[in-house]
Amino acid sequence: MTRLDEIRAAESRLLLQTYERNPILFVRGEGVHVIDEDGVKYLDLLSGIGVNALGYGHPAVEKAIAEQSRALIHTSNLFYHEGQAGLALRLTERTGMDRVFFSNTGTEAWEGALKLARAHAGLLRSEGRNVGTKFLALEQSFHGRTFGSMSTTYKAKYREPFAPGVPGVEFVRFNDVADLRAKFSEEVCAILVESIQGEGGIRPLTQEFFAEARALASSTGALLIVDEIQSGMGRTGKWCAYQHYGIQPDITTLAKPLAGGVPIGAVLCTEEVARAIHAGMHGTTFGGGPLACAVAIAVIDTIERDGLLAHATEVGEYLLTQLRSLAARHEAIVDVRGKGLMVAAELDSADLAKLTVAEMLKKNILINCTSDTVLRFLPPYILERAHVDTAIEALDEIFTQHANLAAAQTAGGNNRV
Ligand SMILES: Cc1ncc(COP(=O)(O)O)c(C=O)c1O
């Protein structure tokens, strides 16, 4: 029995069976590679679902963890420590927001955003304004697994087993301005969007839809809340993907890559929204702890020092170009889209998408499939063109083999006729 077999047997007995894991035991990582128990190196184009922004074993992350863990790991939010103000300053300066609350995960940041919106609407009502409690979320959205996040997430499979969810959520057709206008009213306290939907298949909002959401919210005092948990912190070549649109939200949320792999989330808001919160209304034991904050500061400073926003833009453009030329050779690729290092290639069948992910794994390259037919690329920001070439070559082989097989089957079928 291998070590992997032992772990699989133990997990199947001991863990809630929430994941269908790939049978690989990872033990360490280096740069853009993650390495299994036999020393096999995998090119990681998924970075732990958009988390390991600086890849693996980055000296800045290692140094921050080592130094901070020697100094202080946890204090609770009842006391001050060095990290929160420094991190909040960096985040507010880069996002155009005014204030921050730190959480541990993306879904917690999103819960904080929903609570802020309800509290803000309550404040406006107490001031005589007419703003309700309803949320408008988007079809194909994904905001997380806790109750509020789940209730504002579109796909029924995430919500229905746990029904009833949080009431007061209505879904708007994606990028459908007429539907948004029809469903918006004074009952709405917030419009909820991802600038580029992640789990929904790397789908960007249109400029028109985003601008209309901003205008409608502003017209009543409702809030525009933008979830940047997957698209934020430099992944698209800007700190937040909404900055590509020149649109400023009232609240935004960050998590995944914020501390390069150490759990942390953040909800950021304007001074106007912050009026609605006072001591005791919201909190967390672990959120914004010294360790996570120190690492997040190191990640931000490294992204800046090493010019990784420009690098993500440049290598992302190269990845898109190479995927487009692959699409020109392979009919199975029906669309290529994305921004920076948040990229998708949509295929013409769910079976082929699943097969492609499995075949890439056999070639020691990690990608995944979202929304059934979409191959998703969320690599570390330190990815180089040579890594893109390796991945494109592998995809080319897989699609060629698949097309040849399909042609042979058709020919075989024709012969039988
Ligand atoms: C856009 C978006 N929001 C929220 C979440 C939830 O984050 P977490 O898994 O850290 O709770 C995710 C996770 O994939 C996400 O992509």
Side-chain angles (χ1 to χ4, degrees):
M1 218 189 201
T2 65
R3 184 72 189 127
L4 174 60
D5 292 335
E6 283 169 10
I7 288 172
R8 289 181 82 182
E11 283 202 0
S12 73
R13 221 169 5 97
L14 298 169
L15 297 193
L16 283 183
Q17 296 298 295
T18 52
Y19 294 103
E20 286 172 11
R21 296 197 212 283
N22 291 293
I24 301 175
L25 178 59
F26 284 129
V27 292
R28 63 197 177 85
E30 278 170 18
V32 295
H33 293 98
V34 61
I35 299 161
D36 75 10
E37 55 175 338
D38 300 318
V40 177
K41 272 187 166 186
Y42 292 74
L43 173 59
D44 186 1
L45 301 182
L46 193 60
S47 58
I49 323 185
V51 169
N52 302 315
L54 302 182
Y56 297 91
H58 194 287
V61 172
E62 280 184 9
K63 182 166 178 279
I65 291 174
E67 286 178 2
Q68 191 58 49
S69 66
R70 277 197 294 270
L72 189 66
I73 291 177
H74 177 75
T75 55
S76 88
N77 280 302
L78 301 180
F79 302 95
Y80 291 94
H81 65 77
E82 288 280 347
Q84 285 200 16
L87 179 56
L89 180 66
R90 283 168 175 78
L91 291 178
T92 52
E93 281 175 353
R94 284 159 185 78
T95 59
M97 308 305 288
D98 297 321
R99 288 182 184 265
V100 187
F101 175 87
F102 291 110
S103 64
N104 305 283
T105 62
T107 196
E108 271 178 86
W110 192 247
E111 294 289 337
L114 299 178
K115 286 176 73 177
L116 268 175
R118 285 269 172 88
H120 181 254
L123 177 67
L124 291 190
R125 282 195 299 278
S126 76
E127 294 171 350
R129 303 270 297 274
N130 201 5
V131 178
T133 58
K134 194 167 143 182
F135 293 113
L136 288 187
L138 294 196
E139 294 193 358
Q140 314 310 331
S141 62
F142 184 88
H143 299 296
R145 307 289 196 148
T146 49
F147 255 88
S149 302
M150 172 194 94
S151 304
T152 53
T153 287
Y154 181 67
K155 280 189 191 140
K157 69 172 183 181
Y158 296 130
R159 287 185 281 116
E160 278 178 355
F162 309 103
V166 173
V169 181
E170 192 173 6
F171 291 96
V172 171
R173 280 198 294 278
F174 184 66
N175 275 339
D176 186 332
V177 171
D179 198 39
L180 176 65
R181 283 195 190 125
K183 287 174 179 160
F184 187 80
S185 72
E186 286 178 337
E187 277 306 302
V188 172
C189 71
I191 301 174
L192 317 175
V193 301
E194 296 154 80
S195 305
I196 302 175
Q197 289 191 333
E199 304 300 309
I202 315 291
R203 290 177 208 281
L205 290 182
T206 59
Q207 182 72 38
E208 190 196 5
F209 186 91
F210 213 165
E212 185 63 16
R214 176 65 282 174
L216 284 172
S218 299
S219 72
T220 63
L223 304 179
L224 176 64
I225 308 186
V226 181
D227 183 341
E228 292 276 348
I229 287 166
Q230 194 164 138
S231 56
M233 287 311 295
R235 171 151 302 283
T236 69
K238 290 195 185 282
W239 288 108
C240 287
Y242 60 72
Q243 292 165 332
H244 292 288
Y245 296 81
I247 286 171
Q248 191 64 26
D250 301 293
I251 299 179
T252 192
T253 50
L254 299 170
K256 286 182 179 289
L258 179 49
V262 173
I264 188 171
V267 49
L268 294 93
C269 67
T270 59
E271 206 62 70
E272 161 59 25
V273 174
R275 289 196 304 130
I277 288 286
H278 54 75
M281 279 175 75
H282 192 52
T284 162
T285 300
F286 289 112
L291 184 69
C293 286
V295 182
I297 287 171
V299 168
I300 292 170
D301 291 352
T302 303
I303 290 174
E304 217 126 71
R305 188 198 63 207
D306 294 353
L308 291 179
L309 296 186
H311 183 77
T313 304
E314 197 264 317
V315 179
E317 239 350 282
Y318 183 67
L319 174 57
L320 279 168
T321 307
Q322 296 307 102
L323 283 171
R324 284 191 187 117
S325 75
L326 200 64
R329 299 199 292 281
H330 297 285
E331 279 178 7
I333 306 176
V334 295
D335 192 27
V336 171
R337 55 180 179 264
K339 199 96 189 150
L341 289 172
M342 184 172 186
V343 169
E346 183 161 2
L347 306 187
D348 62 1
S349 101
D351 285 346
L352 180 59
K354 211 169 162 188
L355 180 92
T356 306
V357 173
E359 289 297 313
M360 287 290 271
L361 194 59
K362 284 188 201 157
K363 294 175 184 290
N364 304 335
I365 301 173
L366 307 183
I367 57 170
N368 92 331
C369 169
T370 186
S371 278
D372 300 333
T373 54
V374 179
L375 301 181
R376 178 169 52 166
F377 303 83
L378 298 170
Y381 306 173
I382 56 171
L383 194 79
E384 297 291 346
R385 282 171 173 237
H387 303 125
V388 173
D389 293 340
T390 304
I392 295 293
E393 208 175 292
L395 286 169
D396 203 4
E397 276 173 24
I398 293 165
F399 291 130
T400 303
Q401 212 167 36
H402 177 76
N404 289 345
L405 204 69
Q409 276 166 355
T410 312
N414 288 345
N415 288 345
R416 275 200 296 280
V417 174

